[in-house]
């Protein structure tokens, strides 16, 4: 039985938001966001090939996420001002070029600069999600956004094992070359299928960026949700940036083995998510001898907690103020990837100084701080304003 939603965009005919279009949005979101994570499990291969020291290899992941945060803050708000399809496709074209350049880079400085650009240009996904929210009517918006977010989360989870397996068989450069080809296909499909949307909002670019501060000041839900997910994502990124090093050095796993390990993330309300995230590292802290089994358990539990908290947060953010959805999404996602970049940047120095136990101890602290904030401030606030 097909579900069709009829809605309109500015300056266009009514648009049928069919199941097929929703599925296409979900696939495209997953394919685009995967660009941020391809490097995560293969930094041990990239670093020596471009003459980068092992201690600074996590900068590859960190700079990709910093670039994404910059794009979220400075580019995504334009979705409330400019025609969405044109903005999205222009950004995707930059992504194709940067991924192709990454496959040929041979100097550490050049590769790090390209990593920043890969992250910056991958924000097309965060223009696509608010567009879907605008196209969906009120009664089905949560379901539509949830379906598309499912595609995005699947892209995050599958990007790591795919990257590991491809790099193990064809080399790490093939990962970025293949990603450029996939992005070219996705961009072509989006150009032919997604509807135009011209926002009604009238402002200059600087007025638009200036309004972000007003949204942060006047919307406590945005502040709380951004804080929780930033800390959760810091722990998430710290884990997935450090774990390939641990699996390679301590357990001798190949890239294919690391890819299989990364599939654990694909197997798998706010209080539950934060509590689960806080206890995810228990195996490493209590009994390090549990080895790979303990790491698998941590990966499953942590991914589950981060996914749950992200979806809950995004659902609340989109319900705040429809004309500001792109800016609200930009602020929320910027905070998340700032946290992720911070966690990734810590991975190499923590691992080199204290191994996996130190990584696990620091990573546990992030969700514990979020949990404490929720219990003391977030939940009482929500109860007072319910």
């Amino acid at each position: 039985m097909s579900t069709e939603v009829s809605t309109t965009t500015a300056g266009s005919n009514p648009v049928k938001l069919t199941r097929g279009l929703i599925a296409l949005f979900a696939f495209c979101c997953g394919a685009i966001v995967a660009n941020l994570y391809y490097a995560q499990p293969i930094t041990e291969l990239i670093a020596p090939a471009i003459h980068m020291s092992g201690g600074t290899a996590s900068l590859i992941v960190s700079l990709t996420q910093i670039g994404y945060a910059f794009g979220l803050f400075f580019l995504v708000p334009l979705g409330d001002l400019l025609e969405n399809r044109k903005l999205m496709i222009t950004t995707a074209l930059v992504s194709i070029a940067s991924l192709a350049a990454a496959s040929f880079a041979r100097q550490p400085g050049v590769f790090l600069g390209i990593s920043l650009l890969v992250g910056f240009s991958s924000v097309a996904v965060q223009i696509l999600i608010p567009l879907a929210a605008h196209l969906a009517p009120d009664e089905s918006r949560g379901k539509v956004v949830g379906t598309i977010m499912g595609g995005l989360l699947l892209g995050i989870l599958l990007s790591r094992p795919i990257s590991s397996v491809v790099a193990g068989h064809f080399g790490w450069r093939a990962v970025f070359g293949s990603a450029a080809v996939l992005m070219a296909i996705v961009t072509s499909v989006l150009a032919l299928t997604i509807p135009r949307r011209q926002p009604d909002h009238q402002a200059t670019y600087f007025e638009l960026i200036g309004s972000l501060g007003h949204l942060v000041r006047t919307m406590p839900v945005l502040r709380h949700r951004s804080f929780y997910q930033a800390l959760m994502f810091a722990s998430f990124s710290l884990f997935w940036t450090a774990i390939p090093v641990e699996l390679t050095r301590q357990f001798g796993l190949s890239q294919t083995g690391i890819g299989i390990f990364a599939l654990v993330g694909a197997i798998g309300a706010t209080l539950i998510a934060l509590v689960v995230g806080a206890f995810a590292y228990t195996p490493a802290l209590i009994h390090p001898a549990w080895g790979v089994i303990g790491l698998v358990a941590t990966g499953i539990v942590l991914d589950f907690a981060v996914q749950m908290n992200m979806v809950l947060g995004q659902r609340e953010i989109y319900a705040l103020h429809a004309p500001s959805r792109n800016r609200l999404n930009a602020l929320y996602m910027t905070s998340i990837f700032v946290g992720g970049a911070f966690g990734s940047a810590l991975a190499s120095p923590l691992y080199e100084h204290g191994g996996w136990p130190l990584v696990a101890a620091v990573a546990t602290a992030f969700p514990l701080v979020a949990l404490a904030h929720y219990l003391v401030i977030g939940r009482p606030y929500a109860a007072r304003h319910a």
Side-chain angles (χ1 to χ4, degrees):
M1 178 177 174
S2 176
T3 299
E4 291 194 356
V5 176
S6 178
T7 186
T8 60
T9 54
S12 69
N13 295 321
V15 174
K16 294 290 186 181
L17 193 59
T18 63
R19 282 186 175 177
L21 190 57
I22 294 170
L24 176 65
F25 277 26
F27 171 78
C28 292
C29 281
I32 296 170
V33 80
N35 297 335
L36 302 173
Y37 300 95
Y38 288 132
Q40 221 167 40
I42 58 174
T43 54
E44 290 282 280
L45 296 180
I46 298 172
I50 60 174
H51 312 292
M52 178 182 291
S53 66
T56 59
S58 62
L59 280 177
I60 297 171
V61 179
S62 185
L63 283 172
T64 303
Q65 292 173 334
I66 290 172
Y68 194 67
F70 281 151
L72 286 166
F73 192 85
F74 292 107
L75 192 60
V76 170
L78 285 171
D80 288 334
L81 193 62
L82 303 179
E83 199 279 304
N84 284 192
R85 184 175 65 176
K86 185 182 296 184
L87 178 62
M88 194 184 317
I89 292 171
T90 301
T91 306
L93 289 174
V94 177
S95 183
I96 295 169
S98 57
L99 287 166
S103 68
F104 292 102
R106 299 189 178 278
Q107 299 298 324
V110 172
F111 192 89
L112 290 176
I114 292 172
S115 297
L116 194 70
L117 191 58
V118 167
F120 183 82
S121 59
S122 294
V123 295
V125 68
Q126 297 302 336
I127 303 170
L128 185 58
I129 295 173
L131 173 61
H134 277 290
L135 293 175
D138 294 341
E139 62 271 17
S140 62
R141 180 170 295 119
K143 182 178 180 180
V144 169
V145 172
T147 300
I148 295 171
M149 284 298 294
L152 179 142
L153 292 170
L154 197 61
I156 292 175
L157 296 175
L158 293 180
S159 58
R160 294 186 298 261
I162 290 172
S163 173
S164 291
V165 172
V166 171
H169 287 83
F170 305 103
W172 66 267
R173 295 184 186 278
V175 173
F176 295 99
S178 301
V181 172
L182 178 60
M183 277 299 299
I185 295 171
V186 166
T187 304
S188 300
V189 171
L190 289 175
L192 294 172
T193 56
I194 62 172
R196 290 172 52 85
R197 175 181 175 268
Q198 177 62 55
D200 296 326
H201 190 76
Q202 299 293 322
T204 67
Y205 176 74
F206 293 105
E207 288 172 341
L208 194 73
I209 298 300
S211 69
L212 298 176
H214 173 75
L215 294 174
V216 172
R217 290 192 302 272
T218 58
M219 296 187 176
V221 170
L222 174 63
R223 295 197 301 271
H224 296 328
R225 280 294 176 185
S226 297
F227 182 69
Y228 304 150
Q229 193 62 15
L231 290 170
M232 292 288 283
F233 211 66
S235 182
F236 177 89
S237 294
L238 178 52
F239 176 86
W240 285 109
T241 304
I243 197 65
V245 183
E246 173 75 357
L247 294 174
T248 300
R249 296 186 186 180
Q250 300 300 323
F251 300 99
L253 265 66
S254 65
Q255 285 300 132
T256 301
I258 294 172
I260 294 171
F261 178 93
L263 281 173
V264 301
I267 303 173
T270 301
L271 180 61
I272 296 173
L274 297 179
V275 170
V276 168
F279 284 96
Y281 292 88
T282 301
L285 296 174
I286 294 179
H287 202 319
W290 285 350
V292 174
I293 294 175
L295 296 176
V296 167
T298 298
I300 293 173
V301 172
L302 183 62
D303 279 3
F304 168 78
V306 171
Q307 291 170 43
M308 177 188 290
N309 199 58
M310 179 181 286
V311 171
L312 290 171
Q314 201 138 27
R315 186 180 66 182
E316 289 191 23
I317 296 303
Y318 282 151
L320 292 176
H321 188 236
S324 303
R325 277 201 185 108
N326 282 87
R327 281 167 288 165
L328 292 169
N329 188 55
L331 289 166
Y332 179 61
M333 298 304 295
T334 298
S335 68
I336 291 173
F337 281 89
V338 167
F342 182 66
S344 296
L346 289 177
S348 289
L350 288 177
Y351 191 89
E352 297 300 331
H353 284 86
W356 187 251
L358 181 58
V359 169
V362 174
T364 300
F366 292 129
L368 282 175
V369 172
L371 177 61
H373 183 280
Y374 175 74
L375 293 174
V376 175
I377 299 174
R379 189 165 62 169
Y381 173 85
R384 288 196 303 271
H385 293 81

